[in-house]
Amino acid sequence: MKKSEFVTQDLLSKIYQRSDKEINKLPPERQLAEIYGVSRFTIRQALERLVSIGVVDIIQGSGIWINQQARNNPLVYNSITEKRFDQIAFRMVNLHKKLPDREEQQVFGVGANEFIWQFCRLRLVDNQKVQIEISRLPVKDFPDLNQQVIEQSLQQYVLSKGYLISHQLTSYQAISINKEQAALLECKKNIPAMRIINRGILAGGRVFEISEIVDINYSCTYITPFNHDNLAFRRGNQGV
C-alpha cells in the first residue's frame, strides 16, 4: 500500500471511530507529517483524497475541519468518485438506436417496437484510459441524446430533463481484459479488471439506464455500520 493510501485509510478510521465531541478537526499538515513519519507532500496527497470524497474541508488560516454530515452517514468511495470532475474526461466510441431484447423490455418497461439508445464511451482519468462503458437508455425518455451529452455528465443530463434520480443498483465481477477491450484501452490482454453492472433508478422505481463498465484501475472503500441483525440471520441459516 502506498504511504498516502495508508494515511488516508488511517485518518478515515480515526475520524469515524470517534464521537463528534472528541474531534472536529485534524491536526495541521506539519504535525500529521511528524505523526506518520512521512513527507508533507504525502500528507497533502492523503488530505486531497479526503477533500475529494467530502470527509474534510481545508479552510485557509483555520485548519482541516471534519465534515460532520459526511461522518454521520455510511461512506462509499471508489477510484472514480474520489476524482474531481476536472480530472475525468469521456470519449464517445459509438452511439446508435436499437430495438430492445426481452430482458431490456422487462427492465425499462418498453414495448418490443420502442427503440432504446446504446452507446459506448471511454472514461479517461488524468488523460489515461481506464474504463469502457456501454450504456442503454430508452429513446422515449431521452430523444435528444447525443455525443456532447455522452462526453459530459450523463447524470446531470438526466437531472436536466426534470427527472429525480433515486438509487443505483450495482454488482461487481472480477474479469480479465479480452482482445477487443485491450485495443480500446490500449493495455495488455488478460490483465485483471472489474466488471461493474449498474442500473440507474428514478424516484418511483423506474429504471432509466443500464450500464456495463470494465475498469482496469478499480478500487473501492466502504465505511458502514456493523449489521448485527444480518450476522445473526446468517448464523441462523448455517445452523450455528
Side-chain angles (χ1 to χ4, degrees):
M1 182 181 292
K2 293 181 179 180
K3 291 181 179 180
S4 62
E5 176 65 20
F6 171 79
V7 174
T8 302
Q9 298 283 345
D10 195 61
L11 287 174
L12 278 172
S13 69
K14 287 177 169 58
I15 288 169
Y16 276 81
Q17 73 190 8
R18 298 181 181 182
S19 69
D20 294 351
K21 293 181 180 179
E22 289 181 290
I23 180 171
N24 291 316
K25 59 189 297 189
L26 297 180
E29 187 180 291
R30 185 185 298 278
Q31 187 177 342
L32 287 172
E34 293 174 357
I35 291 171
Y36 287 101
V38 297
S39 68
R40 293 184 66 176
F41 176 75
T42 297
I43 294 298
R44 203 167 296 121
Q45 286 182 311
L47 292 176
E48 285 176 357
R49 293 189 71 186
L50 294 180
V51 170
S52 68
I53 61 179
V55 174
V56 303
D57 295 307
I58 300 176
I59 302 175
Q60 191 69 29
S62 178
I64 307 163
W65 291 88
I66 295 169
N67 185 337
Q68 301 300 334
Q69 184 175 359
R71 176 195 256 168
N72 293 331
N73 293 290
L75 173 69
V76 179
Y77 73 93
N78 60 43
S79 48
I80 292 299
T81 59
E82 72 182 18
K83 295 293 184 180
R84 301 189 310 271
F85 282 116
D86 61 0
Q87 295 175 291
I88 301 173
F90 296 99
R91 184 179 303 165
M92 191 182 80
V93 178
N94 57 57
L95 167 67
H96 63 274
K97 294 179 182 178
K98 74 182 201 70
L99 291 173
D101 60 26
R102 182 169 294 181
E103 289 185 1
E104 291 162 341
Q105 292 175 46
Q106 179 69 26
V107 171
F108 288 123
V110 298
N113 295 317
E114 295 183 82
F115 283 95
I116 63 172
W117 291 110
Q118 179 168 303
F119 69 81
C120 176
R121 66 179 179 177
L122 299 175
R123 181 173 295 187
L124 293 79
V125 175
D126 297 327
N127 297 316
Q128 298 294 315
K129 297 175 182 177
V130 296
Q131 281 189 0
I132 302 168
E133 177 186 344
I134 297 175
S135 288
R136 288 158 285 169
L137 302 90
V139 170
K140 67 178 182 181
D141 292 327
F142 308 102
D144 59 348
L145 185 68
N146 55 50
Q147 181 174 354
Q148 183 179 2
V149 169
I150 291 169
E151 294 186 344
Q152 296 178 4
S153 169
L154 191 63
Q155 291 180 340
Q156 190 60 48
Y157 167 70
V158 173
L159 294 173
S160 73
K161 294 294 182 183
Y163 297 114
L164 180 62
I165 300 174
S166 174
H167 292 82
Q168 277 197 321
L169 175 64
T170 307
S171 60
Y172 304 88
Q173 179 186 15
I175 63 168
S176 296
I177 293 293
N178 63 32
K179 182 179 179 180
E180 292 75 17
Q181 293 165 342
L184 280 174
L185 293 170
E186 299 178 352
C187 65
K188 293 182 179 180
K189 179 185 174 183
N190 293 327
I191 66 171
M194 187 67 74
R195 180 172 178 253
I196 307 164
I197 307 296
N198 278 316
R199 287 191 187 188
I201 304 171
L202 299 173
R206 190 157 60 91
V207 174
F208 71 89
E209 178 195 20
I210 309 169
S211 67
E212 178 177 334
I213 297 169
V214 172
D215 193 324
I216 58 173
N217 188 30
Y218 188 79
S219 64
C220 189
T221 297
Y222 295 81
I223 301 179
T224 55
F226 181 69
N227 192 327
H228 293 272
D229 293 338
N230 180 260
L231 177 63
F233 174 77
R234 291 165 61 199
R235 288 173 63 87
N237 282 349
Q238 292 173 352
V240 178

mmCIF file of all heavy atoms in Angstrom, residues 64-83:
data_model
loop_
_atom_site.group_PDB
_atom_site.id
_atom_site.type_symbol
_atom_site.label_atom_id
_atom_site.label_comp_id
_atom_site.label_asym_id
_atom_site.label_seq_id
_atom_site.Cartn_x
_atom_site.Cartn_y
_atom_site.Cartn_z
ATOM 1 N N ILE A 64 -8.053 22.044 9.152
ATOM 2 C CA ILE A 64 -8.632 20.919 8.416
ATOM 3 C C ILE A 64 -9.836 20.434 9.215
ATOM 4 O O ILE A 64 -9.696 19.734 10.226
ATOM 5 C CB ILE A 64 -7.598 19.792 8.248
ATOM 6 C CG1 ILE A 64 -6.303 20.329 7.636
ATOM 7 C CG2 ILE A 64 -8.169 18.663 7.382
ATOM 8 C CD1 ILE A 64 -5.108 19.410 7.790
ATOM 9 N N TRP A 65 -11.013 20.798 8.764
ATOM 10 C CA TRP A 65 -12.241 20.534 9.506
ATOM 11 C C TRP A 65 -12.945 19.287 8.997
ATOM 12 O O TRP A 65 -13.028 19.048 7.791
ATOM 13 C CB TRP A 65 -13.189 21.730 9.413
ATOM 14 C CG TRP A 65 -12.669 22.919 10.159
ATOM 15 C CD1 TRP A 65 -11.840 23.886 9.683
ATOM 16 C CD2 TRP A 65 -12.919 23.231 11.525
ATOM 17 N NE1 TRP A 65 -11.551 24.800 10.664
ATOM 18 C CE2 TRP A 65 -12.199 24.419 11.808
ATOM 19 C CE3 TRP A 65 -13.673 22.641 12.542
ATOM 20 C CZ2 TRP A 65 -12.227 25.020 13.064
ATOM 21 C CZ3 TRP A 65 -13.699 23.248 13.796
ATOM 22 C CH2 TRP A 65 -12.984 24.415 14.036
ATOM 23 N N ILE A 66 -13.445 18.483 9.918
ATOM 24 C CA ILE A 66 -14.171 17.264 9.562
ATOM 25 C C ILE A 66 -15.601 17.617 9.189
ATOM 26 O O ILE A 66 -16.269 18.387 9.883
ATOM 27 C CB ILE A 66 -14.163 16.267 10.734
ATOM 28 C CG1 ILE A 66 -12.730 15.792 11.000
ATOM 29 C CG2 ILE A 66 -15.076 15.078 10.457
ATOM 30 C CD1 ILE A 66 -12.580 15.012 12.286
ATOM 31 N N ASN A 67 -16.069 17.063 8.085
ATOM 32 C CA ASN A 67 -17.447 17.264 7.639
ATOM 33 C C ASN A 67 -18.360 16.369 8.472
ATOM 34 O O ASN A 67 -18.424 15.162 8.257
ATOM 35 C CB ASN A 67 -17.566 16.927 6.147
ATOM 36 C CG ASN A 67 -18.943 17.220 5.599
ATOM 37 O OD1 ASN A 67 -19.930 17.266 6.333
ATOM 38 N ND2 ASN A 67 -19.014 17.402 4.292
ATOM 39 N N GLN A 68 -19.061 16.957 9.438
ATOM 40 C CA GLN A 68 -19.874 16.162 10.352
ATOM 41 C C GLN A 68 -21.025 15.461 9.640
ATOM 42 O O GLN A 68 -21.429 14.363 10.020
ATOM 43 C CB GLN A 68 -20.410 17.054 11.477
ATOM 44 C CG GLN A 68 -19.327 17.730 12.305
ATOM 45 C CD GLN A 68 -18.410 16.737 12.993
ATOM 46 O OE1 GLN A 68 -18.800 15.605 13.258
ATOM 47 N NE2 GLN A 68 -17.188 17.148 13.284
ATOM 48 N N GLN A 69 -21.545 16.071 8.607
ATOM 49 C CA GLN A 69 -22.643 15.447 7.863
ATOM 50 C C GLN A 69 -22.168 14.169 7.188
ATOM 51 O O GLN A 69 -22.874 13.155 7.189
ATOM 52 C CB GLN A 69 -23.194 16.419 6.809
ATOM 53 C CG GLN A 69 -24.403 15.879 6.070
ATOM 54 C CD GLN A 69 -24.994 16.903 5.115
ATOM 55 O OE1 GLN A 69 -24.520 18.026 5.022
ATOM 56 N NE2 GLN A 69 -26.039 16.510 4.400
ATOM 57 N N ALA A 70 -20.949 14.198 6.628
ATOM 58 C CA ALA A 70 -20.406 13.000 5.999
ATOM 59 C C ALA A 70 -20.137 11.925 7.037
ATOM 60 O O ALA A 70 -20.372 10.743 6.808
ATOM 61 C CB ALA A 70 -19.120 13.340 5.252
ATOM 62 N N ARG A 71 -19.662 12.339 8.206
ATOM 63 C CA ARG A 71 -19.323 11.385 9.257
ATOM 64 C C ARG A 71 -20.547 10.626 9.757
ATOM 65 O O ARG A 71 -20.460 9.470 10.166
ATOM 66 C CB ARG A 71 -18.671 12.119 10.418
ATOM 67 C CG ARG A 71 -18.355 11.229 11.605
ATOM 68 C CD ARG A 71 -18.064 12.094 12.805
ATOM 69 N NE ARG A 71 -16.648 12.139 13.083
ATOM 70 C CZ ARG A 71 -16.086 12.988 13.931
ATOM 71 N NH1 ARG A 71 -16.829 13.872 14.542
ATOM 72 N NH2 ARG A 71 -14.801 12.966 14.161
ATOM 73 N N ASN A 72 -21.699 11.262 9.720
ATOM 74 C CA ASN A 72 -22.915 10.649 10.249
ATOM 75 C C ASN A 72 -23.591 9.709 9.259
ATOM 76 O O ASN A 72 -24.649 9.157 9.560
ATOM 77 C CB ASN A 72 -23.911 11.732 10.672
ATOM 78 C CG ASN A 72 -23.407 12.535 11.857
ATOM 79 O OD1 ASN A 72 -22.653 12.019 12.676
ATOM 80 N ND2 ASN A 72 -23.811 13.795 11.944
ATOM 81 N N ASN A 73 -23.003 9.514 8.080
ATOM 82 C CA ASN A 73 -23.581 8.638 7.072
ATOM 83 C C ASN A 73 -22.569 7.582 6.649
ATOM 84 O O ASN A 73 -21.361 7.808 6.745
ATOM 85 C CB ASN A 73 -24.001 9.449 5.831
ATOM 86 C CG ASN A 73 -25.152 10.384 6.123
ATOM 87 O OD1 ASN A 73 -26.268 9.954 6.332
ATOM 88 N ND2 ASN A 73 -24.868 11.675 6.167
ATOM 89 N N PRO A 74 -23.042 6.420 6.162
ATOM 90 C CA PRO A 74 -22.106 5.442 5.611
ATOM 91 C C PRO A 74 -21.313 6.073 4.466
ATOM 92 O O PRO A 74 -21.837 6.884 3.706
ATOM 93 C CB PRO A 74 -23.031 4.329 5.088
ATOM 94 C CG PRO A 74 -24.301 4.484 5.858
ATOM 95 C CD PRO A 74 -24.432 5.959 6.106
ATOM 96 N N LEU A 75 -20.061 5.708 4.345
ATOM 97 C CA LEU A 75 -19.199 6.266 3.308
ATOM 98 C C LEU A 75 -18.829 5.183 2.309
ATOM 99 O O LEU A 75 -18.367 4.112 2.692
ATOM 100 C CB LEU A 75 -17.931 6.856 3.928
ATOM 101 C CG LEU A 75 -16.855 7.333 2.938
ATOM 102 C CD1 LEU A 75 -17.341 8.570 2.177
ATOM 103 C CD2 LEU A 75 -15.557 7.647 3.671
ATOM 104 N N VAL A 76 -19.048 5.457 1.048
ATOM 105 C CA VAL A 76 -18.598 4.576 -0.021
ATOM 106 C C VAL A 76 -17.916 5.447 -1.061
ATOM 107 O O VAL A 76 -18.515 6.385 -1.575
ATOM 108 C CB VAL A 76 -19.780 3.818 -0.676
ATOM 109 C CG1 VAL A 76 -19.259 2.925 -1.800
ATOM 110 C CG2 VAL A 76 -20.537 2.987 0.352
ATOM 111 N N TYR A 77 -16.658 5.158 -1.349
ATOM 112 C CA TYR A 77 -15.999 5.889 -2.423
ATOM 113 C C TYR A 77 -15.117 4.935 -3.206
ATOM 114 O O TYR A 77 -14.672 3.911 -2.700
ATOM 115 C CB TYR A 77 -15.193 7.073 -1.890
ATOM 116 C CG TYR A 77 -13.907 6.731 -1.176
ATOM 117 C CD1 TYR A 77 -12.697 6.696 -1.860
ATOM 118 C CD2 TYR A 77 -13.895 6.472 0.183
ATOM 119 C CE1 TYR A 77 -11.517 6.402 -1.208
ATOM 120 C CE2 TYR A 77 -12.720 6.182 0.846
ATOM 121 C CZ TYR A 77 -11.529 6.150 0.147
ATOM 122 O OH TYR A 77 -10.358 5.846 0.798
ATOM 123 N N ASN A 78 -14.913 5.243 -4.469
ATOM 124 C CA ASN A 78 -14.081 4.380 -5.301
ATOM 125 C C ASN A 78 -13.127 5.210 -6.134
ATOM 126 O O ASN A 78 -13.069 6.431 -6.013
ATOM 127 C CB ASN A 78 -14.950 3.458 -6.177
ATOM 128 C CG ASN A 78 -15.866 4.227 -7.109
ATOM 129 O OD1 ASN A 78 -15.465 5.209 -7.726
ATOM 130 N ND2 ASN A 78 -17.114 3.792 -7.207
ATOM 131 N N SER A 79 -12.377 4.521 -6.986
ATOM 132 C CA SER A 79 -11.307 5.179 -7.731
ATOM 133 C C SER A 79 -11.825 6.185 -8.741
ATOM 134 O O SER A 79 -11.041 6.968 -9.276
ATOM 135 C CB SER A 79 -10.448 4.116 -8.444
ATOM 136 O OG SER A 79 -11.264 3.186 -9.141
ATOM 137 N N ILE A 80 -13.124 6.183 -9.017
ATOM 138 C CA ILE A 80 -13.703 7.187 -9.910
ATOM 139 C C ILE A 80 -14.336 8.317 -9.115
ATOM 140 O O ILE A 80 -14.082 9.495 -9.354
ATOM 141 C CB ILE A 80 -14.738 6.544 -10.855
ATOM 142 C CG1 ILE A 80 -14.018 5.603 -11.836
ATOM 143 C CG2 ILE A 80 -15.497 7.615 -11.628
ATOM 144 C CD1 ILE A 80 -12.993 6.273 -12.729
ATOM 145 N N THR A 81 -15.168 7.983 -8.122
ATOM 146 C CA THR A 81 -15.893 9.029 -7.408
ATOM 147 C C THR A 81 -14.979 9.900 -6.552
ATOM 148 O O THR A 81 -15.373 10.991 -6.154
ATOM 149 C CB THR A 81 -16.999 8.427 -6.520
ATOM 150 O OG1 THR A 81 -16.404 7.518 -5.563
ATOM 151 C CG2 THR A 81 -18.011 7.666 -7.349
ATOM 152 N N GLU A 82 -13.769 9.423 -6.253
ATOM 153 C CA GLU A 82 -12.856 10.272 -5.488
ATOM 154 C C GLU A 82 -12.139 11.292 -6.369
ATOM 155 O O GLU A 82 -11.442 12.169 -5.868
ATOM 156 C CB GLU A 82 -11.824 9.411 -4.763
ATOM 157 C CG GLU A 82 -10.785 8.780 -5.683
ATOM 158 C CD GLU A 82 -9.802 7.891 -4.916
ATOM 159 O OE1 GLU A 82 -10.105 7.504 -3.773
ATOM 160 O OE2 GLU A 82 -8.747 7.589 -5.471
ATOM 161 N N LYS A 83 -12.306 11.178 -7.675
ATOM 162 C CA LYS A 83 -11.643 12.105 -8.591
ATOM 163 C C LYS A 83 -12.496 13.347 -8.817
ATOM 164 O O LYS A 83 -13.723 13.284 -8.876
ATOM 165 C CB LYS A 83 -11.392 11.419 -9.942
ATOM 166 C CG LYS A 83 -10.418 10.245 -9.882
ATOM 167 C CD LYS A 83 -9.014 10.703 -9.543
ATOM 168 C CE LYS A 83 -8.029 9.549 -9.569
ATOM 169 N NZ LYS A 83 -6.658 9.981 -9.232
#
